[in-house]
Amino acid sequence: MIKIAPSILSADYAALGSAVELLRPWGADYVHLDVMDGAFVPNITFGAPMTKALRTHSDLVFDAHLMVAEPAKWVPAFKEAGADIVTIHVEADRHAHRTLALIRSLGMKAGVALNPQTPPSAVEYLLEGCDLVLVMTVNPGFGGQKFIPEAAKKLAVIREMLISKGLEDRVELEVDGGVNVETAKLCREYGANVLVAGNAVYSSPDPKEAIRLLRGE
Ligand code: DX5
Ligand code: ZN
């Protein structure tokens, strides 16, 4: 089953509550929250307070993508804010294994993300301890960028790693960056089962149809 996680990075920042309320009637599965600190990535967006403010606007899964340095520092705040999934970048944490366990100990699902240049081997020993792997198909920091096909190939490698460890039913494989109707087909074929899409949804003239097409319906 393919899940769609629209990123609010491409929504109207002056009306984020309403932008999030639209996602359930549009048929989305997750709300993808792109948290950026201006240190790990060259942009600043929002943090736990904004996440908490948006929590009452949707009962969909809150999928927080922490593009931040020292992610462990922020995990309790995102729990308090009502996040359901917290994904950290493997490049941002010397003790990612411990941070994933911290996320889980607080009752949230733990995700680990890889930037385009990071090899799948970087997460090989984290797969048992996580619930989601996020493959970036753009260099993180901005919405509306061009999809990087080389990075998408990692989806197939990680899908195989999950199958060989018997984790393919428990660990979700998410793709993020430049996903649109064309690139979504490739990502589904590579084995992704959660597709993040910002621009392809919020800039679409028909977001509900866009979500349907991203799912391959
Ligand atoms: C980029 C973010 C992505 C991005 C996706 O740093 O992690 O979630 O916003 O947006 P689109 O789908 O517009 O590339
Ligand atoms: Zn993201």
Side-chain angles (χ1 to χ4, degrees):
M1 182 227 174
I2 300 292
K3 295 177 183 175
I4 304 301
S7 162
I8 62 169
L9 193 63
S10 303
D12 174 0
Y13 269 39
L16 276 184
S18 326
V20 163
E21 284 166 9
L22 290 169
L23 291 178
R24 177 173 281 284
W26 285 351
D29 299 283
Y30 292 177
V31 180
H32 188 78
L33 302 155
D34 279 315
V35 178
M36 301 182 193
D37 65 356
F40 181 70
V41 289
N43 195 0
I44 294 177
T45 54
F46 53 82
M50 174 69 87
T51 302
K52 184 169 186 163
L54 295 172
R55 182 69 273 184
T56 55
H57 290 264
S58 175
D59 58 358
L60 290 177
V61 168
F62 269 26
D63 171 30
H65 175 191
L66 301 194
M67 289 165 275
V68 302
E70 299 180 270
K73 227 165 78 174
W74 304 104
V75 168
F78 278 89
K79 169 64 180 177
E80 202 275 330
D84 299 290
I85 302 169
V86 169
T87 296
I88 65 169
H89 267 261
V90 68
E91 304 90 353
D93 194 335
R94 273 191 290 275
H95 300 291
H97 188 277
R98 180 191 291 154
T99 304
L100 293 171
L102 169 65
I103 295 167
R104 283 179 144 182
S105 74
L106 294 176
M108 299 182 286
K109 287 194 171 182
V112 60
L114 300 92
N115 281 336
Q117 87 263 13
T118 305
S121 58
V123 296
E124 184 170 359
Y125 297 102
L126 298 175
L127 296 178
E128 275 84 359
C130 79
D131 304 290
L132 178 143
V133 179
L134 169 52
V135 172
M136 294 301 298
T137 40
V138 293
N139 289 297
F142 305 92
Q145 298 181 89
K146 198 169 169 325
F147 183 83
I148 303 170
E150 274 311 294
K153 289 178 184 157
K154 271 187 275 185
L155 289 162
V157 175
I158 296 170
R159 173 56 63 200
E160 280 311 309
M161 285 162 76
L162 290 171
I163 290 169
S164 71
K165 292 174 180 282
L167 296 170
E168 73 275 15
D169 295 333
R170 184 177 67 72
V171 178
E172 294 192 312
L173 185 52
E174 187 172 46
V175 60
D176 185 1
V179 175
N180 57 36
V181 177
E182 290 73 44
T183 58
K185 185 171 180 303
L186 184 69
C187 295
R188 294 193 306 268
E189 285 163 3
Y190 279 144
N193 66 324
V194 184
L195 279 54
V196 174
N199 217 36
V201 173
Y202 278 107
S203 307
S204 163
D206 184 347
K208 189 169 178 147
E209 175 66 0
I211 288 176
R212 238 179 37 74
L213 293 171
L214 287 168
R215 248 197 214 101
E217 289 169 359

